Structure formats: C-alpha cells, structure tokens
Amino acid sequence: MAGRPREFDRAQALEKARDLFWTRGYEGVSMADLVAALGIASARIYAAFGSKEQLFREAVELYKSGEGAFAVHALAARLNVRDALVRMLEEAVLLYTRSGQPQGCMVVTAATNTSAENAGIADWLAQHRRARTQSLVERLRDAQGKGELREGVDMQALGDYYAALLHGLSVQARDGVPAARLLALIAPAMAPLDLALV
C-alpha cells in the first residue's frame, strides 16, 4: 500500500523555485531541476503553478515584494534625494553579495539572453527594469520640483545613470566582486548628483 504523498507547502516551494531561478536564470532551470529542488513530482508543480513560466513569474513577483523591494522602500523613504539614492545603492550591494545566497539581482540576471521561444519572458523582465529606471527618474524629478536639484539638469539622464549603476552592481556581484569594493564606489558615483544639488 502506497503511503500518502507528503504535505505540499506552496509558499516554501515558491521560495525554492525563486532561489533556483535567481541563481541559474529562466532557461538554466529545467523541470527536472525544479522537481529535484522542490522535492515534488512535476505533476504537482503543474497543478500548483500551471507551467514553468507561470512559476517563474510568481517567483519574480515574490522577489520583487521581498528582497527586491529595497529600491522601492529607499526611494519612498522620507529622505532627501541624495540619502535615498545612497541607501538604495548600499542596500543593493548588501543584497547582491550575501554569502550563501543567490548573487546579483534576479530581475537583471534571470533572462538577459533567451531563445526566441522565451522572448516573452525576456520582454517581461525588461519591462520591470524599465519601470525601475522610470521610478528613479520620477524620484529625481520630484526632488527637482521641491527645489533640491537645480533647474536645467537632465533628470532623465541622471535617472538612466543611476539605473545603469544599479544594474551594473548586480553584474559585478555575480562576477564575485566583494561588497567592500562595491560599497566603495558609491561615494564617487554620487558626484553627478552632487553637481546638481542646490
């Protein structure tokens, strides 16, 4: 007589899937990998999440609402714009370089190169990255409107600069650059903003 299947914890399975996708990317994870990591049969994975793609999308949303929410919190904090950006960059470094955890940003690294059949995933993640850039631009424009930053400064270019820096920190962390080195680059990286401050 076969025993009953062990209890399935959907939230725990989603966390394991998130970490697997975060580490290996979307195309680097097969259904066999998910079965091994989650410890449940593929039929149960499909029943719980619908498809590998849907599981990945849920995993990204879990990341964005958890660890990956640091930028949202920093930009929304009641801080001057400089302190908000410094906090965002520092927290990015600390997240991206955690020991024993996936390195870098899941949204930046999970699907930068995909096959044509997975172009939808790549486009979806690109939309998330563009939204992060736009949130930086909007935070800078808000600061300019409040008189923190000089008129005539190109807030789009400044926002693009800090988005590129944020995404670059992810790549550097994946390459093994230690936190101390990444934290050290934040001070010189603030020079363009310092020139724009009133």
Side-chain angles (χ1 to χ4, degrees), residues 133 136-137 140-141 152-165 192:
T133 300
L136 283 162
V137 172
L140 289 161
R141 285 181 175 150
V153 175
D154 187 342
M155 294 298 111
Q156 182 69 56
L158 204 53
D160 287 341
Y161 168 77
Y162 285 106
L165 179 62

Side-chain angles (χ1 to χ4, degrees), residues 95-146:
L95 172 65
Y96 298 167
T97 60
R98 292 183 305 171
S99 178
Q101 300 293 323
Q103 303 293 286
C105 171
M106 183 178 186
V107 176
V108 170
T109 61
T112 51
N113 295 305
T114 55
S115 61
E117 67 190 38
N118 292 318
I121 288 290
D123 290 343
W124 181 68
L125 288 172
Q127 289 171 18
H128 285 287
R129 292 190 295 271
R130 286 191 294 268
R132 169 62 54 239
T133 300
Q134 190 56 37
S135 71
L136 283 162
V137 172
E138 288 170 5
R139 179 64 176 86
L140 289 161
R141 285 181 175 150
D142 180 64
Q144 189 178 47
K146 291 177 178 174

Side-chain angles (χ1 to χ4, degrees), residues 20-160:
L20 190 60
F21 284 126
W22 190 350
T23 301
R24 297 191 198 171
Y26 180 72
E27 289 197 358
V29 175
S30 67
M31 186 51 68
D33 295 328
L34 289 167
V35 167
L38 277 55
I40 57 175
S42 59
R44 294 185 81 189
I45 295 173
Y46 285 120
F49 299 102
S51 66
K52 174 187 163 183
E53 179 175 335
Q54 188 54 40
L55 174 54
F56 174 75
R57 288 175 183 262
E58 283 196 47
V60 169
E61 294 300 340
L62 178 64
Y63 168 81
K64 285 184 60 190
S65 65
E67 295 92 333
F70 68 89
V72 172
H73 297 313
L75 295 176
R78 298 182 68 160
L79 298 168
N80 64 56
V81 69
R82 189 184 197 284
D83 289 346
L85 289 176
V86 168
R87 176 183 289 183
M88 178 191 73
L89 295 171
E90 288 176 346
E91 291 184 5
V93 170
L94 297 178
L95 172 65
Y96 298 167
T97 60
R98 292 183 305 171
S99 178
Q101 300 293 323
Q103 303 293 286
C105 171
M106 183 178 186
V107 176
V108 170
T109 61
T112 51
N113 295 305
T114 55
S115 61
E117 67 190 38
N118 292 318
I121 288 290
D123 290 343
W124 181 68
L125 288 172
Q127 289 171 18
H128 285 287
R129 292 190 295 271
R130 286 191 294 268
R132 169 62 54 239
T133 300
Q134 190 56 37
S135 71
L136 283 162
V137 172
E138 288 170 5
R139 179 64 176 86
L140 289 161
R141 285 181 175 150
D142 180 64
Q144 189 178 47
K146 291 177 178 174
E148 289 184 65
L149 299 173
R150 291 185 291 104
E151 291 297 323
V153 175
D154 187 342
M155 294 298 111
Q156 182 69 56
L158 204 53
D160 287 341

